[in-house]
C-alpha cells in the first residue's frame, strides 16, 4: 500500500523567506512522487515529479524537492516566497509514472505574509 | 489546447435530487479519472477508465453513483439521489500511457463544486 503524510496543514511565511513544505511517503515499491498546487476554485497543477532519475527535482515557479529514500521524504522548498505562492499544496505518490491511481496527501495551505 | 474541460463549474441541488457532471479529456488521452475532493482534504480516486472500460471503480459508491465513458472520450458522473454528504468538488483528470510526456501527462480539470442543500 502507498500513502503520503504532509506535516502541517497550514504554513505561514514572510515574503522573501524560505518555503519548506514537508512530505513523507510510505510505499512497498519504488515510488513516483509529485507535488501539486491548487489555487482557489481551480484544479490541480503539477509543480514537479520524481520518477527515479535525479533525486533533486526542479519544478515550475522556482520550486524544487529532494527525494531522500533513507528518510522516506520528499520535501518541497523555494528559496524566496512570493505573494503569488499562496495556495494549497498537495504531495502525492503513485506506483507508475502515468496511467495510474495517484494517492494524495491531505494538503498544506501556504500563506504569505507581506 | 483546451485542457481537461469540466461542466458545470458550480451546482446547487436539493438533497434526493439527481445531478450529473461532464468531463471532456485532453484529445488523445486514453485514461480518464474522476476524483472526489472534500473540503480541506486531498482528492480521492472514484473511478478510472482505460478507453471506455472502467478498470478501477473500487472506491465508487455504486448504490448512488454511476459513471460512463461512451466511445472512450467524454465521460459523465452521476449521483442519484444526492445526499448532504456529497457536497464536495468533483475533479476529472486525463492522462496518456503511450509515448513520452515531459509533463507526466496527468492533467486535471478545474472541477465541479457541488453543494447539496
Amino acid at each position: 500500500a502507498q500513502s503520503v503524510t504532509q506535516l502541517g496543514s497550514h504554513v505561514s511565511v514572510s515574503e522573501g523567506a524560505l518555503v519548506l513544505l514537508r512530505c513523507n511517503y510510505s510505499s512497498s515499491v519504488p515510488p513516483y512522487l509529485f507535488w501539486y498546487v491548487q489555487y482557489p476554485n481551480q484544479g490541480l497543477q503539477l509543480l514537479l515529479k520524481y520518477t527515479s532519475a535525479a533525486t533533486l527535482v526542479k519544478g515550475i515557479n522556482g520550486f524544487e524537492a529532494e527525494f531522500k529514500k533513507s528518510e522516506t521524504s520528499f520535501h518541497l522548498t523555494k528559496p524566496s516566497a512570493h505573494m503569488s505562492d499562496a495556495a494549497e499544496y498537495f504531495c502525492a505518490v503513485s506506483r507508475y509514472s502515468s496511467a495510474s491511481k495517484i494517492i494524495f496527501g491531505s494538503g498544506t495551505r501556504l500563506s504569505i505574509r507581506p | 489546447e483546451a485542457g481537461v474541460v469540466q461542466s458545470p463549474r458550480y451546482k446547487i441541488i436539493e438533497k434526493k435530487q439527481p445531478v450529473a457532471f461532464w468531463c471532456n479529456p485532453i484529445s488523445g488521452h486514453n485514461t480518464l479519472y474522476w476524483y472526489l475532493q472534500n473540503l480541506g482534504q486531498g482528492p480521492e480516486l472514484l473511478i478510472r477508465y482505460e478507453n471506455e472500460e472502467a478498470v478501477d471503480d473500487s472506491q465508487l459508491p455504486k448504490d448512488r453513483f454511476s459513471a460512463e465513458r461512451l466511445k472512450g472520450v467524454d465521460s459523465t458522473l452521476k449521483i442519484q439521489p444526492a445526499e448532504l454528504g456529497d457536497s464536495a468538488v468533483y475533479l476529472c483528470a486525463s492522462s496518456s500511457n503511450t509515448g513520452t510526456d515531459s509533463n507526466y501527462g496527468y492533467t486535471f480539470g478545474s472541477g465541479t463544486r457541488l453543494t447539496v442543500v
Side-chain angles (χ1 to χ4, degrees):
Chain A
Q2 296 183 304
S3 66
V4 290
T5 301
Q6 292 185 241
L7 302 176
S9 59
H10 183 209
V11 171
S12 179
V13 302
S14 298
E15 188 174 19
L18 170 71
V19 175
L20 171 61
L21 304 183
R22 301 177 186 272
C23 173
N24 287 92
Y25 71 90
S26 173
S27 179
S28 57
V29 298
Y32 292 91
L33 294 161
F34 314 89
W35 276 98
Y36 282 84
V37 61
Q38 186 175 36
Y39 298 100
N41 298 317
Q42 295 189 26
L44 288 90
Q45 179 182 6
L46 181 67
L47 277 177
L48 49 81
K49 65 187 182 197
Y50 167 75
T51 57
S52 74
T55 56
L56 182 61
V57 182
K58 294 186 182 298
I60 62 172
N61 301 339
F63 284 93
E64 64 181 35
E66 185 172 8
F67 173 72
K68 292 187 177 180
K69 184 177 180 180
S70 61
E71 299 177 7
T72 61
S73 69
F74 191 58
H75 301 331
L76 181 71
T77 61
K78 182 175 180 177
S80 178
H82 191 272
M83 295 300 292
S84 61
D85 295 327
E88 189 87 17
Y89 291 80
F90 293 95
C91 181
V93 64
S94 176
R95 290 175 62 91
Y96 307 104
S97 63
S98 66
S100 178
K101 173 180 178 179
I102 293 181
I103 298 171
F104 289 86
S106 56
T108 297
R109 182 164 61 91
L110 176 64
S111 299
I112 311 297
R113 301 187 301 271
Chain B
E1 189 172 87
V4 176
V5 180
Q6 291 188 246
S7 69
R9 287 296 311 276
Y10 305 93
K11 188 73 176 180
I12 301 175
I13 62 170
E14 294 183 345
K15 62 181 180 182
K16 301 185 181 180
Q17 294 301 306
V19 64
F21 315 124
W22 175 81
C23 174
N24 179 239
I26 289 177
S27 178
H29 278 191
N30 56 310
T31 307
L32 184 146
Y33 317 76
W34 283 101
Y35 280 85
L36 165 68
Q37 185 176 20
N38 287 305
L39 184 65
Q41 298 182 26
E44 298 176 1
L45 181 70
L46 286 173
I47 188 169
R48 173 167 66 99
Y49 281 93
E50 294 288 345
N51 300 304
E52 65 274 10
E53 181 182 1
V55 297
D56 183 356
D57 63 356
S58 57
Q59 300 303 311
L60 189 72
K62 299 180 181 63
D63 57 335
R64 298 184 298 108
F65 286 66
S66 64
E68 60 181 10
R69 192 185 184 196
L70 301 177
K71 301 181 181 179
V73 181
D74 294 1
S75 177
T76 56
L77 177 68
K78 299 178 181 179
I79 308 175
Q80 182 171 11
E83 298 179 351
L84 295 176
D86 297 330
S87 296
V89 175
Y90 293 82
L91 292 165
C92 180
S94 69
S95 70
S96 172
N97 62 354
T98 59
T100 60
D101 190 316
S102 62
N103 192 35
Y104 176 72
Y106 209 115
T107 305
F108 283 85
S110 298
T112 296
R113 181 177 296 276
L114 173 67
T115 302
V116 183
V117 298

